[in-house]
Amino acid sequence: MKKKLFISHEHAKHICDKRQYGEATFTESVALSIRVAWCRLTRAYSKKNNKLTSTIQDAKMNCLKQTERKKLEHQFEKELNKHQ
Amino acid sequence: MTPNHKLDPNHWITLYSDYLFNYAISRVNDREIAQDLVSETFLSGLKSMVNFKGKASERTWLTSILKRKIIDHYRKTNSNKGKAEVRMGYSYPTESEGDWLEERVADPFGKTAEDVMENVELGDAIYNCLSKLPEKQARIFELKTITGYDTETICNELNITSSNLWVQIHRARTALASCLEKNWFKA
């Protein structure tokens, strides 16, 4: 248990990334909070990471889904072959 | 200025489809129309490659084609609107008489034009930063962060392991955060 709660800075960064996507477990979240409480570096990384997440959410960005992208690729390739 | 930019349509989909799609959807607000506009942009680009002088970057040139497509789209929809006008019967005395005043009150929590503009510009800035990342890394980031696919789906789709996915996500996030810090927050 002790090993699970007291983590390295690198491990904390990994958990922090997972947390941005809601994929960190409860134990991982607790371990991250402990690390953030005393480690300046982890705290800075966590702050920057959270800021990035909220910025991206504010932008309400869109990108093509895999199926949409493949459809576009297929259409374009046909035309490209005619062109070349 | 000496023309130094070249066109390579073989990489257009990989490099610019998401940027152009985001550009289009934020202006037309319809997923299908945005896809059509992007597809038409690539096809028009292909046809007018001979006119490219090399003064602008490939992406700027494709974006200018897309801008024209968006204007054409609005022209078309506006001319169709005249034919199918929706008439609102505010002048008829009905049970709901008087409701129109309430319906027409501005929504104080609604988005202002400036808010929407800033969202669009922020989206463009993020895509500018994303375009500086390695291709695969940018795609993984987009699928995970923007499309919201789960880890397993992306790993299957791109044939990578979950630990590789998180390494790529971490690198992408770090690079994006510093790029946005320079180009958006400090600009």
Side-chain angles (χ1 to χ4, degrees):
Chain A
M1 194 63 189
K2 203 178 167 187
K3 265 187 186 173
K4 277 188 179 174
L5 289 180
F6 295 94
I7 51 173
S8 67
H9 174 60
E10 286 306 310
H11 193 181
K13 286 202 289 190
H14 174 58
I15 294 173
C16 185
D17 289 337
K18 278 170 76 179
R19 209 176 174 186
Q20 307 305 316
Y21 303 94
E23 290 189 24
T25 64
F26 176 72
T27 320
E28 283 175 332
S29 295
V30 173
L32 178 64
S33 303
I34 293 172
R35 179 90 204 183
V36 162
W38 66 268
C39 173
R40 199 168 44 88
L41 278 178
T42 309
R43 197 160 48 237
Y45 181 81
S46 185
K47 197 178 161 192
K48 211 170 164 184
N49 220 0
N50 293 340
K51 189 177 171 186
L52 179 67
T53 300
S54 61
T55 306
I56 291 166
Q57 278 167 359
D58 285 347
K60 296 193 169 42
M61 290 170 73
N62 281 283
C63 78
L64 291 165
K65 292 176 185 162
Q66 278 297 84
T67 45
E68 294 167 341
R69 196 183 168 103
K70 276 181 185 157
K71 191 179 147 197
L72 187 67
E73 248 167 18
H74 186 68
Q75 282 172 346
F76 187 65
E77 262 170 30
K78 261 193 206 167
E79 287 300 314
L80 195 60
N81 289 338
K82 273 189 222 166
H83 197 80
Q84 281 170 345
Chain B
M1 197 208 280
T2 47
N4 51 3
H5 295 283
K6 283 178 183 159
L7 296 178
D8 183 3
N10 290 307
H11 296 112
W12 283 358
I13 303 276
T14 321
L15 296 175
Y16 312 118
S17 59
D18 284 319
Y19 171 78
L20 294 176
F21 178 71
N22 187 58
Y23 188 96
I25 201 167
S26 58
R27 280 145 183 102
V28 298
N29 222 2
D30 184 300
R31 217 177 163 86
E32 263 182 49
I33 295 171
Q35 280 176 60
D36 290 343
L37 290 172
V38 172
S39 173
E40 284 171 28
T41 300
F42 285 137
L43 299 184
S44 295
L46 208 55
K47 280 176 197 156
S48 48
M49 274 174 75
V50 277
N51 302 327
F52 181 72
K53 295 183 183 81
K55 286 181 184 170
S57 74
E58 212 171 30
R59 197 179 80 172
T60 309
W61 184 69
L62 286 168
T63 311
S64 69
I65 299 175
L66 177 61
K67 276 182 192 167
R68 263 179 275 144
K69 297 274 170 207
I70 294 171
I71 293 169
D72 286 347
H73 161 74
Y74 277 116
R75 270 197 199 127
K76 236 185 261 173
T77 38
N78 280 341
S79 61
N80 286 341
K81 253 186 199 165
K83 291 171 199 159
E85 198 179 338
V86 179
R87 293 189 188 279
M88 301 178 88
Y90 283 119
S91 58
Y92 308 121
T94 59
E95 279 177 10
S96 56
E97 198 176 7
D99 285 356
W100 66 276
L101 266 177
E102 215 168 308
E103 281 174 34
R104 292 195 164 193
V105 167
D107 175 9
F109 301 107
K111 287 224 167 249
T112 64
E114 285 86 15
D115 289 339
V116 175
M117 265 322 285
E118 183 153 337
N119 278 347
V120 171
E121 283 172 14
L122 176 58
D124 291 349
I126 294 172
Y127 266 110
N128 272 334
C129 289
L130 264 177
S131 68
K132 290 171 191 160
L133 300 182
E135 229 171 76
K136 200 172 180 183
Q137 204 177 91
R139 188 64 191 149
I140 293 171
F141 179 83
E142 281 173 354
L143 289 174
K144 185 83 189 135
T145 317
I146 303 166
T147 317
Y149 280 7
D150 60 46
T151 305
E152 203 187 332
T153 311
I154 304 173
C155 290
N156 291 338
E157 195 73 51
L158 303 179
N159 207 13
I160 53 172
T161 62
S162 119
S163 56
N164 186 235
L165 175 134
W166 286 111
V167 169
Q168 299 295 337
I169 291 281
H170 173 71
R171 287 180 185 160
R173 292 188 73 89
T174 311
L176 264 185
S178 37
C179 175
L180 282 173
E181 198 61 51
K182 241 188 265 165
N183 301 311
W184 179 258
F185 296 111
K186 281 188 184 164

